[in-house]
Amino acid sequence: MTPDPDMLWPRCAHLGHVLLPLVDQEPWRQGRRRENLQAWGIDTTAGERLMEIFAALATHAVAVDTSLSAAELDDLPLKAVAEAATGKRDYELLAGLPTTFADDRDGHAVNVFRLHVYRGGEYGHRLTQLSTEMRHALLVLAERAPIRLLTCGDVFRRAAEAGLQQ
């Protein structure tokens, strides 16, 4: 089954949007992340937005690689997304994306990500730093899971319980 990008991308983007607010339920984590961003010379707002889109891109890449539909995304382990964030080349995360995005913010963020990939050098290094930080955030959520590995569906349920909008 080939994933439907019109249905799949919004689910992946939602995971990216709720990731940091869920991690920040332990407030000290936000401070540590922001200190890292400042130390790397990355604007906090822009860096956190790139982390969101990085999570969405990594989730989307794994879903496309494994031919998951939007409905099947709930069963995708966060560990697989975390591994894709640091294991895939930046340009590989861009494969299979929809050509247009319903949310203009997502389209803009993907374009900023693309520019970082294409420019390389210092910008590529920033993506490496952000991917490591985002992978850490995913693993923090996975470690909070009781007994079994946390899936994307578990993240969606926790986000709904925390009142984070879809």
Side-chain angles (χ1 to χ4, degrees):
M1 169 196 293
T2 306
D4 178 3
D6 292 334
M7 302 286 290
L8 182 60
W9 174 257
R11 296 280 291 159
C12 296
H14 181 60
L15 185 121
H17 295 307
V18 301
L19 174 66
L20 295 180
L22 287 175
V23 169
D24 292 348
Q25 288 179 339
E26 295 174 298
W28 64 269
R29 292 194 183 275
Q30 182 183 57
R32 185 191 132 305
R33 179 179 63 250
R34 290 183 173 177
E35 284 174 12
N36 285 345
L37 292 173
Q38 288 174 353
W40 297 331
I42 300 173
D43 175 76
T44 302
T45 303
E48 289 180 345
R49 182 63 181 127
L50 275 172
M51 286 178 64
E52 287 179 12
I53 210 66
F54 218 125
L57 290 169
T59 305
H60 187 268
V62 174
V64 168
D65 286 353
T66 57
S67 298
L68 292 179
S69 68
E72 296 167 320
L73 190 65
D74 283 0
D75 297 326
L76 181 65
L78 272 189
K79 184 178 178 187
V81 176
E83 289 171 359
T86 55
K88 286 190 169 286
R89 310 264 310 181
D90 299 333
Y91 61 84
E92 290 177 308
L93 297 176
L94 297 169
L97 286 177
T99 54
T100 60
F101 298 89
D103 183 341
D104 288 338
R105 283 190 54 208
D106 287 345
H108 180 268
V110 167
N111 287 335
V112 169
F113 185 91
R114 279 188 179 115
L115 286 172
H116 277 70
V117 171
Y118 298 146
R119 289 194 72 184
E122 171 188 336
Y123 295 94
H125 182 66
R126 282 186 186 161
L127 289 180
T128 300
Q129 291 168 317
L130 292 172
S131 72
T132 302
E133 191 71 20
M134 195 272 301
R135 181 179 193 281
H136 175 73
L138 287 165
L139 293 177
V140 163
L141 287 181
E143 288 171 4
R144 288 184 188 161
I147 303 172
R148 64 185 177 88
L149 288 177
L150 189 67
T151 64
C152 292
D154 294 325
V155 172
F156 294 138
R157 281 186 287 286
R158 285 186 182 179
E161 290 168 3
L164 299 172
Q165 297 292 344
Q166 181 123 3

PDB file of all heavy atoms in Angstrom, residues 80-115:
ATOM      1  N   ALA A  80      12.226   4.227  16.006  1.00  0.00           N
ATOM      2  CA  ALA A  80      12.493   4.223  14.564  1.00  0.00           C
ATOM      3  C   ALA A  80      12.581   5.643  14.021  1.00  0.00           C
ATOM      4  O   ALA A  80      13.420   5.948  13.169  1.00  0.00           O
ATOM      5  CB  ALA A  80      11.402   3.444  13.820  1.00  0.00           C
ATOM      6  N   VAL A  81      11.748   6.524  14.547  1.00  0.00           N
ATOM      7  CA  VAL A  81      11.792   7.937  14.135  1.00  0.00           C
ATOM      8  C   VAL A  81      13.096   8.565  14.620  1.00  0.00           C
ATOM      9  O   VAL A  81      13.763   9.284  13.879  1.00  0.00           O
ATOM     10  CB  VAL A  81      10.569   8.708  14.672  1.00  0.00           C
ATOM     11  CG1 VAL A  81      10.667  10.184  14.325  1.00  0.00           C
ATOM     12  CG2 VAL A  81       9.268   8.107  14.130  1.00  0.00           C
ATOM     13  N   ALA A  82      13.471   8.275  15.858  1.00  0.00           N
ATOM     14  CA  ALA A  82      14.718   8.821  16.408  1.00  0.00           C
ATOM     15  C   ALA A  82      15.921   8.350  15.605  1.00  0.00           C
ATOM     16  O   ALA A  82      16.841   9.125  15.332  1.00  0.00           O
ATOM     17  CB  ALA A  82      14.861   8.424  17.880  1.00  0.00           C
ATOM     18  N   GLU A  83      15.916   7.088  15.213  1.00  0.00           N
ATOM     19  CA  GLU A  83      17.022   6.552  14.415  1.00  0.00           C
ATOM     20  C   GLU A  83      17.080   7.207  13.038  1.00  0.00           C
ATOM     21  O   GLU A  83      18.156   7.481  12.518  1.00  0.00           O
ATOM     22  CB  GLU A  83      16.902   5.036  14.294  1.00  0.00           C
ATOM     23  CG  GLU A  83      17.209   4.324  15.592  1.00  0.00           C
ATOM     24  CD  GLU A  83      16.897   2.835  15.564  1.00  0.00           C
ATOM     25  OE1 GLU A  83      16.418   2.319  14.519  1.00  0.00           O
ATOM     26  OE2 GLU A  83      17.120   2.187  16.593  1.00  0.00           O
ATOM     27  N   ALA A  84      15.917   7.480  12.454  1.00  0.00           N
ATOM     28  CA  ALA A  84      15.879   8.139  11.142  1.00  0.00           C
ATOM     29  C   ALA A  84      16.408   9.566  11.241  1.00  0.00           C
ATOM     30  O   ALA A  84      17.053  10.062  10.313  1.00  0.00           O
ATOM     31  CB  ALA A  84      14.457   8.145  10.585  1.00  0.00           C
ATOM     32  N   ALA A  85      16.160  10.212  12.363  1.00  0.00           N
ATOM     33  CA  ALA A  85      16.588  11.605  12.533  1.00  0.00           C
ATOM     34  C   ALA A  85      18.099  11.748  12.436  1.00  0.00           C
ATOM     35  O   ALA A  85      18.601  12.732  11.886  1.00  0.00           O
ATOM     36  CB  ALA A  85      16.105  12.142  13.875  1.00  0.00           C
ATOM     37  N   THR A  86      18.813  10.780  12.950  1.00  0.00           N
ATOM     38  CA  THR A  86      20.274  10.862  12.902  1.00  0.00           C
ATOM     39  C   THR A  86      20.888   9.884  11.915  1.00  0.00           C
ATOM     40  O   THR A  86      22.036  10.037  11.535  1.00  0.00           O
ATOM     41  CB  THR A  86      20.885  10.617  14.307  1.00  0.00           C
ATOM     42  OG1 THR A  86      20.418   9.374  14.811  1.00  0.00           O
ATOM     43  CG2 THR A  86      20.521  11.744  15.250  1.00  0.00           C
ATOM     44  N   GLY A  87      20.128   8.887  11.477  1.00  0.00           N
ATOM     45  CA  GLY A  87      20.680   7.874  10.590  1.00  0.00           C
ATOM     46  C   GLY A  87      20.495   8.156   9.112  1.00  0.00           C
ATOM     47  O   GLY A  87      21.210   7.615   8.277  1.00  0.00           O
ATOM     48  N   LYS A  88      19.535   8.984   8.784  1.00  0.00           N
ATOM     49  CA  LYS A  88      19.306   9.312   7.379  1.00  0.00           C
ATOM     50  C   LYS A  88      20.019  10.610   7.036  1.00  0.00           C
ATOM     51  O   LYS A  88      20.144  11.498   7.873  1.00  0.00           O
ATOM     52  CB  LYS A  88      17.806   9.480   7.105  1.00  0.00           C
ATOM     53  CG  LYS A  88      17.045   8.177   7.086  1.00  0.00           C
ATOM     54  CD  LYS A  88      15.635   8.418   6.575  1.00  0.00           C
ATOM     55  CE  LYS A  88      14.935   7.128   6.287  1.00  0.00           C
ATOM     56  NZ  LYS A  88      15.400   6.472   5.079  1.00  0.00           N
ATOM     57  N   ARG A  89      20.443  10.714   5.805  1.00  0.00           N
ATOM     58  CA  ARG A  89      21.035  11.963   5.325  1.00  0.00           C
ATOM     59  C   ARG A  89      19.916  13.002   5.252  1.00  0.00           C
ATOM     60  O   ARG A  89      18.751  12.656   5.018  1.00  0.00           O
ATOM     61  CB  ARG A  89      21.669  11.758   3.954  1.00  0.00           C
ATOM     62  CG  ARG A  89      22.606  10.569   3.871  1.00  0.00           C
ATOM     63  CD  ARG A  89      23.999  10.849   4.051  1.00  0.00           C
ATOM     64  NE  ARG A  89      24.441  11.959   3.205  1.00  0.00           N
ATOM     65  CZ  ARG A  89      25.679  12.358   3.195  1.00  0.00           C
ATOM     66  NH1 ARG A  89      26.563  11.754   3.927  1.00  0.00           N
ATOM     67  NH2 ARG A  89      26.041  13.372   2.458  1.00  0.00           N
ATOM     68  N   ASP A  90      20.278  14.254   5.442  1.00  0.00           N
ATOM     69  CA  ASP A  90      19.275  15.318   5.452  1.00  0.00           C
ATOM     70  C   ASP A  90      18.400  15.313   4.207  1.00  0.00           C
ATOM     71  O   ASP A  90      17.185  15.444   4.296  1.00  0.00           O
ATOM     72  CB  ASP A  90      19.946  16.687   5.604  1.00  0.00           C
ATOM     73  CG  ASP A  90      20.734  16.806   6.897  1.00  0.00           C
ATOM     74  OD1 ASP A  90      20.378  16.115   7.875  1.00  0.00           O
ATOM     75  OD2 ASP A  90      21.692  17.586   6.924  1.00  0.00           O
ATOM     76  N   TYR A  91      19.015  15.131   3.052  1.00  0.00           N
ATOM     77  CA  TYR A  91      18.245  15.157   1.809  1.00  0.00           C
ATOM     78  C   TYR A  91      17.320  13.951   1.693  1.00  0.00           C
ATOM     79  O   TYR A  91      16.291  14.005   1.010  1.00  0.00           O
ATOM     80  CB  TYR A  91      19.158  15.274   0.581  1.00  0.00           C
ATOM     81  CG  TYR A  91      20.131  14.146   0.401  1.00  0.00           C
ATOM     82  CD1 TYR A  91      19.761  12.970  -0.225  1.00  0.00           C
ATOM     83  CD2 TYR A  91      21.437  14.253   0.871  1.00  0.00           C
ATOM     84  CE1 TYR A  91      20.651  11.923  -0.383  1.00  0.00           C
ATOM     85  CE2 TYR A  91      22.338  13.217   0.708  1.00  0.00           C
ATOM     86  CZ  TYR A  91      21.936  12.058   0.089  1.00  0.00           C
ATOM     87  OH  TYR A  91      22.826  11.021  -0.064  1.00  0.00           O
ATOM     88  N   GLU A  92      17.651  12.846   2.362  1.00  0.00           N
ATOM     89  CA  GLU A  92      16.778  11.672   2.335  1.00  0.00           C
ATOM     90  C   GLU A  92      15.460  11.943   3.055  1.00  0.00           C
ATOM     91  O   GLU A  92      14.437  11.329   2.743  1.00  0.00           O
ATOM     92  CB  GLU A  92      17.467  10.472   2.979  1.00  0.00           C
ATOM     93  CG  GLU A  92      18.621   9.917   2.181  1.00  0.00           C
ATOM     94  CD  GLU A  92      19.312   8.765   2.891  1.00  0.00           C
ATOM     95  OE1 GLU A  92      19.694   8.924   4.070  1.00  0.00           O
ATOM     96  OE2 GLU A  92      19.475   7.715   2.245  1.00  0.00           O
ATOM     97  N   LEU A  93      15.498  12.857   4.014  1.00  0.00           N
ATOM     98  CA  LEU A  93      14.281  13.194   4.751  1.00  0.00           C
ATOM     99  C   LEU A  93      13.290  13.966   3.882  1.00  0.00           C
ATOM    100  O   LEU A  93      12.114  14.070   4.219  1.00  0.00           O
ATOM    101  CB  LEU A  93      14.616  14.007   6.005  1.00  0.00           C
ATOM    102  CG  LEU A  93      15.476  13.292   7.046  1.00  0.00           C
ATOM    103  CD1 LEU A  93      15.813  14.238   8.184  1.00  0.00           C
ATOM    104  CD2 LEU A  93      14.791  12.049   7.567  1.00  0.00           C
ATOM    105  N   LEU A  94      13.770  14.517   2.787  1.00  0.00           N
ATOM    106  CA  LEU A  94      12.914  15.313   1.908  1.00  0.00           C
ATOM    107  C   LEU A  94      12.200  14.470   0.846  1.00  0.00           C
ATOM    108  O   LEU A  94      11.303  14.961   0.167  1.00  0.00           O
ATOM    109  CB  LEU A  94      13.746  16.406   1.228  1.00  0.00           C
ATOM    110  CG  LEU A  94      14.362  17.436   2.173  1.00  0.00           C
ATOM    111  CD1 LEU A  94      15.365  18.304   1.438  1.00  0.00           C
ATOM    112  CD2 LEU A  94      13.282  18.268   2.828  1.00  0.00           C
ATOM    113  N   ALA A  95      12.580  13.217   0.714  1.00  0.00           N
ATOM    114  CA  ALA A  95      11.994  12.351  -0.324  1.00  0.00           C
ATOM    115  C   ALA A  95      10.532  12.053  -0.027  1.00  0.00           C
ATOM    116  O   ALA A  95      10.150  11.793   1.106  1.00  0.00           O
ATOM    117  CB  ALA A  95      12.784  11.051  -0.421  1.00  0.00           C
ATOM    118  N   GLY A  96       9.722  12.103  -1.055  1.00  0.00           N
ATOM    119  CA  GLY A  96       8.327  11.704  -0.939  1.00  0.00           C
ATOM    120  C   GLY A  96       7.404  12.700  -0.279  1.00  0.00           C
ATOM    121  O   GLY A  96       6.257  12.362   0.025  1.00  0.00           O
ATOM    122  N   LEU A  97       7.876  13.918  -0.063  1.00  0.00           N
ATOM    123  CA  LEU A  97       7.010  14.920   0.568  1.00  0.00           C
ATOM    124  C   LEU A  97       5.922  15.367  -0.395  1.00  0.00           C
ATOM    125  O   LEU A  97       6.117  15.352  -1.609  1.00  0.00           O
ATOM    126  CB  LEU A  97       7.827  16.148   0.982  1.00  0.00           C
ATOM    127  CG  LEU A  97       8.719  15.982   2.195  1.00  0.00           C
ATOM    128  CD1 LEU A  97       9.522  17.264   2.442  1.00  0.00           C
ATOM    129  CD2 LEU A  97       7.915  15.646   3.431  1.00  0.00           C
ATOM    130  N   PRO A  98       4.798  15.811   0.145  1.00  0.00           N
ATOM    131  CA  PRO A  98       3.774  16.369  -0.746  1.00  0.00           C
ATOM    132  C   PRO A  98       4.315  17.641  -1.415  1.00  0.00           C
ATOM    133  O   PRO A  98       5.236  18.274  -0.897  1.00  0.00           O
ATOM    134  CB  PRO A  98       2.613  16.690   0.197  1.00  0.00           C
ATOM    135  CG  PRO A  98       3.145  16.622   1.576  1.00  0.00           C
ATOM    136  CD  PRO A  98       4.408  15.822   1.538  1.00  0.00           C
ATOM    137  N   THR A  99       3.757  17.984  -2.554  1.00  0.00           N
ATOM    138  CA  THR A  99       4.225  19.178  -3.257  1.00  0.00           C
ATOM    139  C   THR A  99       3.664  20.452  -2.658  1.00  0.00           C
ATOM    140  O   THR A  99       4.261  21.515  -2.790  1.00  0.00           O
ATOM    141  CB  THR A  99       3.865  19.116  -4.755  1.00  0.00           C
ATOM    142  OG1 THR A  99       2.463  18.892  -4.878  1.00  0.00           O
ATOM    143  CG2 THR A  99       4.629  17.991  -5.449  1.00  0.00           C
ATOM    144  N   THR A 100       2.525  20.358  -2.009  1.00  0.00           N
ATOM    145  CA  THR A 100       1.942  21.516  -1.318  1.00  0.00           C
ATOM    146  C   THR A 100       1.549  21.091   0.094  1.00  0.00           C
ATOM    147  O   THR A 100       1.333  19.911   0.371  1.00  0.00           O
ATOM    148  CB  THR A 100       0.697  22.052  -2.051  1.00  0.00           C
ATOM    149  OG1 THR A 100      -0.276  21.009  -2.119  1.00  0.00           O
ATOM    150  CG2 THR A 100       1.044  22.544  -3.447  1.00  0.00           C
ATOM    151  N   PHE A 101       1.462  22.089   0.957  1.00  0.00           N
ATOM    152  CA  PHE A 101       1.128  21.838   2.360  1.00  0.00           C
ATOM    153  C   PHE A 101      -0.093  22.666   2.730  1.00  0.00           C
ATOM    154  O   PHE A 101      -0.161  23.854   2.407  1.00  0.00           O
ATOM    155  CB  PHE A 101       2.301  22.231   3.269  1.00  0.00           C
ATOM    156  CG  PHE A 101       3.543  21.438   2.998  1.00  0.00           C
ATOM    157  CD1 PHE A 101       4.477  21.865   2.057  1.00  0.00           C
ATOM    158  CD2 PHE A 101       3.784  20.251   3.666  1.00  0.00           C
ATOM    159  CE1 PHE A 101       5.616  21.134   1.793  1.00  0.00           C
ATOM    160  CE2 PHE A 101       4.925  19.502   3.407  1.00  0.00           C
ATOM    161  CZ  PHE A 101       5.842  19.945   2.478  1.00  0.00           C
ATOM    162  N   ALA A 102      -1.043  22.037   3.417  1.00  0.00           N
ATOM    163  CA  ALA A 102      -2.245  22.747   3.848  1.00  0.00           C
ATOM    164  C   ALA A 102      -1.894  23.854   4.841  1.00  0.00           C
ATOM    165  O   ALA A 102      -2.517  24.907   4.850  1.00  0.00           O
ATOM    166  CB  ALA A 102      -3.247  21.772   4.462  1.00  0.00           C
ATOM    167  N   ASP A 103      -0.893  23.616   5.663  1.00  0.00           N
ATOM    168  CA  ASP A 103      -0.435  24.599   6.646  1.00  0.00           C
ATOM    169  C   ASP A 103       0.781  25.330   6.062  1.00  0.00           C
ATOM    170  O   ASP A 103       1.831  24.725   5.857  1.00  0.00           O
ATOM    171  CB  ASP A 103      -0.070  23.889   7.945  1.00  0.00           C
ATOM    172  CG  ASP A 103       0.362  24.837   9.063  1.00  0.00           C
ATOM    173  OD1 ASP A 103       0.736  25.992   8.779  1.00  0.00           O
ATOM    174  OD2 ASP A 103       0.336  24.411  10.229  1.00  0.00           O
ATOM    175  N   ASP A 104       0.615  26.604   5.793  1.00  0.00           N
ATOM    176  CA  ASP A 104       1.708  27.394   5.206  1.00  0.00           C
ATOM    177  C   ASP A 104       2.957  27.399   6.081  1.00  0.00           C
ATOM    178  O   ASP A 104       4.068  27.461   5.569  1.00  0.00           O
ATOM    179  CB  ASP A 104       1.261  28.835   4.952  1.00  0.00           C
ATOM    180  CG  ASP A 104       0.285  28.943   3.798  1.00  0.00           C
ATOM    181  OD1 ASP A 104       0.254  28.031   2.949  1.00  0.00           O
ATOM    182  OD2 ASP A 104      -0.459  29.953   3.745  1.00  0.00           O
ATOM    183  N   ARG A 105       2.771  27.319   7.397  1.00  0.00           N
ATOM    184  CA  ARG A 105       3.937  27.281   8.309  1.00  0.00           C
ATOM    185  C   ARG A 105       4.782  26.044   8.038  1.00  0.00           C
ATOM    186  O   ARG A 105       6.005  26.095   8.088  1.00  0.00           O
ATOM    187  CB  ARG A 105       3.488  27.287   9.771  1.00  0.00           C
ATOM    188  CG  ARG A 105       3.054  28.621  10.287  1.00  0.00           C
ATOM    189  CD  ARG A 105       2.870  28.594  11.796  1.00  0.00           C
ATOM    190  NE  ARG A 105       4.097  28.099  12.405  1.00  0.00           N
ATOM    191  CZ  ARG A 105       4.162  27.459  13.565  1.00  0.00           C
ATOM    192  NH1 ARG A 105       3.087  27.238  14.259  1.00  0.00           N
ATOM    193  NH2 ARG A 105       5.311  27.038  14.042  1.00  0.00           N
ATOM    194  N   ASP A 106       4.126  24.918   7.783  1.00  0.00           N
ATOM    195  CA  ASP A 106       4.862  23.687   7.485  1.00  0.00           C
ATOM    196  C   ASP A 106       5.618  23.828   6.173  1.00  0.00           C
ATOM    197  O   ASP A 106       6.786  23.444   6.077  1.00  0.00           O
ATOM    198  CB  ASP A 106       3.920  22.479   7.409  1.00  0.00           C
ATOM    199  CG  ASP A 106       3.397  22.040   8.765  1.00  0.00           C
ATOM    200  OD1 ASP A 106       3.966  22.460   9.791  1.00  0.00           O
ATOM    201  OD2 ASP A 106       2.417  21.289   8.784  1.00  0.00           O
ATOM    202  N   GLY A 107       4.954  24.367   5.164  1.00  0.00           N
ATOM    203  CA  GLY A 107       5.609  24.571   3.882  1.00  0.00           C
ATOM    204  C   GLY A 107       6.821  25.478   4.006  1.00  0.00           C
ATOM    205  O   GLY A 107       7.886  25.199   3.439  1.00  0.00           O
ATOM    206  N   HIS A 108       6.681  26.536   4.780  1.00  0.00           N
ATOM    207  CA  HIS A 108       7.801  27.462   4.992  1.00  0.00           C
ATOM    208  C   HIS A 108       8.930  26.761   5.737  1.00  0.00           C
ATOM    209  O   HIS A 108      10.106  26.887   5.365  1.00  0.00           O
ATOM    210  CB  HIS A 108       7.328  28.695   5.768  1.00  0.00           C
ATOM    211  CG  HIS A 108       8.409  29.677   6.017  1.00  0.00           C
ATOM    212  ND1 HIS A 108       9.175  29.660   7.160  1.00  0.00           N
ATOM    213  CD2 HIS A 108       8.878  30.699   5.254  1.00  0.00           C
ATOM    214  CE1 HIS A 108      10.066  30.627   7.102  1.00  0.00           C
ATOM    215  NE2 HIS A 108       9.907  31.281   5.955  1.00  0.00           N
ATOM    216  N   ALA A 109       8.595  26.028   6.776  1.00  0.00           N
ATOM    217  CA  ALA A 109       9.623  25.331   7.569  1.00  0.00           C
ATOM    218  C   ALA A 109      10.348  24.276   6.730  1.00  0.00           C
ATOM    219  O   ALA A 109      11.570  24.129   6.844  1.00  0.00           O
ATOM    220  CB  ALA A 109       8.997  24.695   8.813  1.00  0.00           C
ATOM    221  N   VAL A 110       9.627  23.569   5.885  1.00  0.00           N
ATOM    222  CA  VAL A 110      10.266  22.584   5.003  1.00  0.00           C
ATOM    223  C   VAL A 110      11.213  23.296   4.046  1.00  0.00           C
ATOM    224  O   VAL A 110      12.329  22.826   3.792  1.00  0.00           O
ATOM    225  CB  VAL A 110       9.220  21.737   4.242  1.00  0.00           C
ATOM    226  CG1 VAL A 110       9.865  20.944   3.108  1.00  0.00           C
ATOM    227  CG2 VAL A 110       8.501  20.794   5.189  1.00  0.00           C
ATOM    228  N   ASN A 111      10.802  24.443   3.531  1.00  0.00           N
ATOM    229  CA  ASN A 111      11.674  25.203   2.631  1.00  0.00           C
ATOM    230  C   ASN A 111      12.925  25.705   3.343  1.00  0.00           C
ATOM    231  O   ASN A 111      14.017  25.691   2.763  1.00  0.00           O
ATOM    232  CB  ASN A 111      10.913  26.354   1.982  1.00  0.00           C
ATOM    233  CG  ASN A 111       9.951  25.871   0.923  1.00  0.00           C
ATOM    234  OD1 ASN A 111      10.131  24.798   0.340  1.00  0.00           O
ATOM    235  ND2 ASN A 111       8.919  26.654   0.664  1.00  0.00           N
ATOM    236  N   VAL A 112      12.803  26.126   4.587  1.00  0.00           N
ATOM    237  CA  VAL A 112      13.979  26.541   5.366  1.00  0.00           C
ATOM    238  C   VAL A 112      14.900  25.340   5.567  1.00  0.00           C
ATOM    239  O   VAL A 112      16.120  25.450   5.419  1.00  0.00           O
ATOM    240  CB  VAL A 112      13.562  27.160   6.724  1.00  0.00           C
ATOM    241  CG1 VAL A 112      14.756  27.335   7.644  1.00  0.00           C
ATOM    242  CG2 VAL A 112      12.857  28.489   6.503  1.00  0.00           C
ATOM    243  N   PHE A 113      14.324  24.190   5.879  1.00  0.00           N
ATOM    244  CA  PHE A 113      15.108  22.965   6.016  1.00  0.00           C
ATOM    245  C   PHE A 113      15.851  22.667   4.714  1.00  0.00           C
ATOM    246  O   PHE A 113      17.044  22.365   4.726  1.00  0.00           O
ATOM    247  CB  PHE A 113      14.191  21.799   6.407  1.00  0.00           C
ATOM    248  CG  PHE A 113      14.913  20.519   6.697  1.00  0.00           C
ATOM    249  CD1 PHE A 113      15.321  20.224   7.982  1.00  0.00           C
ATOM    250  CD2 PHE A 113      15.185  19.604   5.688  1.00  0.00           C
ATOM    251  CE1 PHE A 113      15.994  19.027   8.261  1.00  0.00           C
ATOM    252  CE2 PHE A 113      15.858  18.416   5.953  1.00  0.00           C
ATOM    253  CZ  PHE A 113      16.259  18.134   7.244  1.00  0.00           C
ATOM    254  N   ARG A 114      15.135  22.755   3.587  1.00  0.00           N
ATOM    255  CA  ARG A 114      15.760  22.519   2.272  1.00  0.00           C
ATOM    256  C   ARG A 114      16.939  23.460   2.049  1.00  0.00           C
ATOM    257  O   ARG A 114      17.991  23.035   1.564  1.00  0.00           O
ATOM    258  CB  ARG A 114      14.736  22.732   1.155  1.00  0.00           C
ATOM    259  CG  ARG A 114      13.834  21.589   0.904  1.00  0.00           C
ATOM    260  CD  ARG A 114      12.985  21.842  -0.357  1.00  0.00           C
ATOM    261  NE  ARG A 114      12.138  20.712  -0.591  1.00  0.00           N
ATOM    262  CZ  ARG A 114      10.807  20.752  -0.531  1.00  0.00           C
ATOM    263  NH1 ARG A 114      10.181  21.871  -0.273  1.00  0.00           N
ATOM    264  NH2 ARG A 114      10.108  19.665  -0.745  1.00  0.00           N
ATOM    265  N   LEU A 115      16.752  24.730   2.375  1.00  0.00           N
ATOM    266  CA  LEU A 115      17.839  25.698   2.198  1.00  0.00           C
ATOM    267  C   LEU A 115      19.058  25.310   3.019  1.00  0.00           C
ATOM    268  O   LEU A 115      20.193  25.416   2.550  1.00  0.00           O
ATOM    269  CB  LEU A 115      17.377  27.106   2.571  1.00  0.00           C
ATOM    270  CG  LEU A 115      16.460  27.787   1.568  1.00  0.00           C
ATOM    271  CD1 LEU A 115      15.928  29.098   2.145  1.00  0.00           C
ATOM    272  CD2 LEU A 115      17.181  28.032   0.259  1.00  0.00           C
TER     273      LEU A 115
END
